Every structure is written in C-alpha cells, then in structure tokens.
Amino acid sequence: MTASPSLDTAPDTDLDTRKKYVRVLEHRADGLVFFEFAIGWPELLVELLLPEAAFAEFCATHRAIRLDH
C-alpha cells in the first residue's frame, strides 16, 4: 500500500504569507466593492464584499498589492 501525499511532503514553493493581494471585480451600485483576496499565492483566493470605506481600510491594514491596476 502506498501512502498518499500530504502537505508536509509537498515540494518547496515560494510561498510568502507576508504578501497579500486584492483584485477589484466590481464597484456595485449599492456602494459595495466586490473583490478577490489572496495570501501568498494570488491564484488561491476568496471573493469578498465590503463597503468602500471598509475596503480601503482592509487594503491598508493588510498592505495589499492591487492586481487590478
């Protein structure tokens, strides 16, 4: 029986969890910003909605790198 691979045996990658990324997808008419947020790898992300002011604060707090510019 062969063992299944685990995260502990994954090959080394250039993951830098200090880097955070945002990509704005839409500024909605209701004042919400629809955007993607990623930590380390821009390809692995979540979609979020925040009011405009909260989005600006979120980006500043996380020192997010904007990918939509």
Side-chain angles (χ1 to χ4, degrees):
M1 179 182 270
T2 59
S4 60
S6 71
L7 293 176
D8 294 333
T9 61
D12 289 339
T13 59
D14 293 331
L15 176 62
D16 184 351
T17 58
R18 295 171 297 176
K19 291 185 178 178
K20 288 134 182 153
Y21 305 92
V22 295
R23 176 180 287 118
V24 173
L25 302 174
E26 181 183 4
H27 288 270
R28 295 172 23 148
D30 60 3
L32 294 175
V33 179
F34 178 46
F35 66 101
E36 298 172 338
F37 177 65
I39 299 173
W41 290 311
E43 304 84 18
L44 184 62
L45 55 92
V46 295
E47 294 177 340
L48 300 170
L49 280 168
L50 286 174
E52 187 75 40
F55 171 73
E57 184 178 341
F58 180 89
C59 290
T61 298
H62 293 286
R63 298 183 195 152
I65 300 166
R66 295 283 300 262
L67 298 176
D68 55 304
H69 287 210

